[in-house]
Amino acid sequence: YYFERGGLDKAAALFEEIVKIEPGNQGAGKNLAMLQQRKAGIDAALAKVEGELAADPSNVSLLLRKGDLLRMNGNLEEAVAVYGKVLTLQPSNPQAHRQLATALSFSGNRKEAIVHLNKLVEMNPADPDAYYNLACAYAVDGQTEESVKWLSKAVEKGFRNWDLLRKDKDLYNIRGTSFYRELMKNS
């Protein structure tokens, strides 16, 4: 869970604990090594981006990259601040709204994430992924009817990733609805 949500430090701590308790657990050892390697790569990329930003602090591409790296590293508050800076520079930047919504959602601020996802839908009304992400945010927030409404719109707009629909943990709250069951039956 932590790994999927950018909490590399938390995931690594859990694997370190498993390795302490079960020193022979090869799976935990491999996962820990992989996480440590990934974190080192992210840290190196972040240092490079920060160096480039020192020369060009308003470079939106670099700021977005920095926000993404911070988010992947689990530094959600910092990522939110960086995406917010991008939106100060470019209020209609769809990537910044999408990534900010992701960071806000991961940090538990789904209400604010929903605000940015709604802005994304307004900016890109033909983008089925924007509707899908909004459906997920509402589902996680426990707003089943809203989630079903937005998932229906996502499908109308062309969302066809049936495998994701089956596996996405964010949609847990709507799996019991007749809409979801019918959608899965016809996919």
Side-chain angles (χ1 to χ4, degrees), residues 1 4-5 102 105-106 110 117 128-141 147 151 154 159-176 180 183-184:
Y1 173 81
E4 294 171 0
R5 302 290 188 194
T102 299
S105 184
F106 288 174
R110 281 178 284 286
L117 289 169
D129 291 338
Y131 293 88
Y132 178 80
N133 289 331
L134 200 45
C136 289
Y138 278 117
V140 171
D141 200 44
S147 177
L151 184 55
F159 189 86
R160 297 289 183 269
N161 190 339
W162 306 119
D163 191 46
L164 179 60
L165 275 168
R166 283 185 189 88
K167 294 179 181 177
D168 197 330
K169 295 174 186 172
D170 288 348
L171 296 176
Y172 177 79
N173 288 336
I174 69 162
R175 290 213 167 92
Y180 182 86
L183 186 61
M184 292 296 92

Side-chain angles (χ1 to χ4, degrees), residues 15-32:
F15 284 118
E16 285 174 355
E17 192 64 30
I18 292 170
V19 169
K20 276 185 193 174
I21 295 169
E22 298 177 42
N25 187 323
Q26 291 180 358
K30 285 180 184 178
N31 284 332
L32 178 59

Side-chain angles (χ1 to χ4, degrees), residues 102-142:
T102 299
L104 288 165
S105 184
F106 288 174
S107 66
N109 190 345
R110 281 178 284 286
K111 301 276 188 234
E112 190 66 22
I114 287 169
V115 168
H116 288 280
L117 289 169
N118 273 303
K119 288 179 185 177
L120 188 60
V121 166
E122 289 172 21
M123 288 187 284
N124 297 313
D127 179 7
D129 291 338
Y131 293 88
Y132 178 80
N133 289 331
L134 200 45
C136 289
Y138 278 117
V140 171
D141 200 44

Side-chain angles (χ1 to χ4, degrees), residues 1-180:
Y1 173 81
Y2 291 123
F3 179 73
E4 294 171 0
R5 302 290 188 194
L8 296 182
D9 288 337
K10 290 179 182 178
L14 289 174
F15 284 118
E16 285 174 355
E17 192 64 30
I18 292 170
V19 169
K20 276 185 193 174
I21 295 169
E22 298 177 42
N25 187 323
Q26 291 180 358
K30 285 180 184 178
N31 284 332
L32 178 59
M34 185 261 311
L35 286 171
Q36 290 169 335
Q37 184 177 14
R38 179 169 177 165
K39 182 160 177 27
I42 291 171
D43 289 343
L46 189 55
K48 180 180 179 201
V49 167
E50 286 176 339
E52 293 170 353
L53 276 169
D56 189 4
S58 296
N59 184 312
V60 169
S61 295
L62 290 173
L63 287 168
L64 286 168
R65 179 75 176 135
K66 180 179 179 178
D68 292 346
L69 291 165
L70 288 166
R71 183 178 45 81
M72 285 188 275
N73 228 5
N75 300 334
L76 298 174
E77 282 185 36
E78 289 179 65
V80 165
V82 171
Y83 295 133
K85 182 175 181 178
V86 170
L87 290 173
T88 299
L89 297 168
Q90 292 181 350
S92 296
N93 185 305
Q95 186 179 359
H97 282 288
R98 184 184 312 273
Q99 298 304 78
L100 178 55
T102 299
L104 288 165
S105 184
F106 288 174
S107 66
N109 190 345
R110 281 178 284 286
K111 301 276 188 234
E112 190 66 22
I114 287 169
V115 168
H116 288 280
L117 289 169
N118 273 303
K119 288 179 185 177
L120 188 60
V121 166
E122 289 172 21
M123 288 187 284
N124 297 313
D127 179 7
D129 291 338
Y131 293 88
Y132 178 80
N133 289 331
L134 200 45
C136 289
Y138 278 117
V140 171
D141 200 44
Q143 297 184 50
T144 305
E145 288 180 28
E146 280 296 306
S147 177
V148 166
K149 176 179 103 177
W150 289 102
L151 184 55
S152 174
K153 288 180 181 185
V155 172
E156 287 172 20
K157 297 291 181 179
F159 189 86
R160 297 289 183 269
N161 190 339
W162 306 119
D163 191 46
L164 179 60
L165 275 168
R166 283 185 189 88
K167 294 179 181 177
D168 197 330
K169 295 174 186 172
D170 288 348
L171 296 176
Y172 177 79
N173 288 336
I174 69 162
R175 290 213 167 92
T177 65
S178 58
F179 172 79
Y180 182 86

